Amino acid sequence: MLNDWVVAPTCLPLVRRRCPACAADRFRASGKFRVNANHKLLDVWLLVLCTSCGDTAKLTVLERTHVRSVRPEMLDRLHDNDPGLTAELLQDPVVQRRNRIALDWDGAWRLDTGGSDHLDREVIDVSVRFAARIPVRPVRLVAEGCGLSRAEVERLVADGKIVSAVRLSGKLSGDFTFTLKR
């Protein structure tokens, strides 16, 4: 029987970027956008606040973009400061690369295993699905979902009792499956 686990975000991640005012390295998204029009060209920024001093910084979303190339629904969401759009844009690789930022997901996600009825079985087949691109070590997920220590999970992987098509030692942010044999 296949168990479905979901790694889901609980809140917006922090943005890793150096603050020019206080040299802290974490910002939180304010959820507000600044849209500036210069004739037929738009500039759009996502405003973020330093977690230490509260200083505001701007993350570039659109730069010198012709107004007709922006979908009207997107423009409405920007003007309405849509929180869902904030989450989408923070996870957009283009926005991350353009602004040279990384996301800090510590404490911003949870693992939903659907209950603990699978813990007493000899063989467990699990499909792990990510609701967002959250980089997490699979060993940590297996340990948390099965109630084991990480060292014990690493020992089970080394002994061949945890089998997966993906490498379980690094970080993953995509769906994977594994089988645990006790």
Side-chain angles (χ1 to χ4, degrees):
M1 180 174 165
L2 185 67
N3 294 299
D4 292 320
W5 293 0
V6 178
V7 178
T10 56
C11 60
L12 290 175
L14 294 177
V15 175
R16 295 185 57 147
R17 175 182 174 171
R18 174 119 10 252
C19 178
C22 71
D25 64 346
R26 300 278 194 282
F27 283 81
R28 65 177 174 79
S30 69
K32 299 192 183 298
F33 294 95
R34 177 159 181 220
V35 180
N36 187 27
N38 185 4
H39 299 285
K40 294 181 181 179
L41 301 178
L42 287 179
D43 290 314
V44 178
W45 299 280
L46 172 61
L47 302 179
V48 292
L49 305 170
C50 177
T51 57
S52 181
C53 69
D55 196 38
T56 303
K58 299 184 289 188
L59 301 180
T60 302
V61 176
L62 298 175
E63 191 170 37
R64 297 290 171 205
T65 305
H66 197 279
V67 70
R68 289 188 185 220
S69 66
V70 179
R71 295 185 326 272
E73 313 84 51
M74 171 82 156
L75 204 51
D76 289 342
R77 291 177 76 188
L78 289 167
H79 286 300
D80 294 340
N81 293 319
D82 183 7
L85 183 61
T86 301
E88 289 172 30
L89 291 174
L90 277 177
Q91 295 179 43
D92 186 358
V94 174
V95 172
Q96 290 179 14
R97 197 170 30 257
R98 177 185 291 150
N99 293 286
R100 296 186 196 106
I101 62 168
L103 299 180
D104 182 5
W105 283 97
D106 287 346
W109 61 273
R110 73 174 184 276
L111 177 65
D112 294 328
T113 61
S116 61
D117 60 338
H118 63 278
L119 296 178
D120 56 349
R121 294 194 205 127
E122 287 296 315
V123 177
I124 304 170
D125 289 321
V126 178
S127 171
V128 181
R129 188 177 58 81
F130 287 79
R133 285 189 308 271
I134 303 171
V136 182
R137 295 184 189 283
V139 170
R140 179 177 179 186
L141 295 176
V142 174
E144 189 174 318
C146 294
L148 305 169
S149 69
R150 279 196 249 171
E152 190 173 352
V153 171
E154 289 173 354
R155 184 183 53 75
L156 290 170
V157 169
D159 292 345
K161 295 194 177 198
I162 296 180
V163 181
S164 178
V166 298
R167 191 172 53 99
L168 298 175
S169 59
K171 286 189 175 184
L172 285 178
S173 59
D175 300 351
F176 70 98
T177 59
F178 71 91
T179 301
L180 169 64
K181 302 171 192 166
R182 294 186 188 208

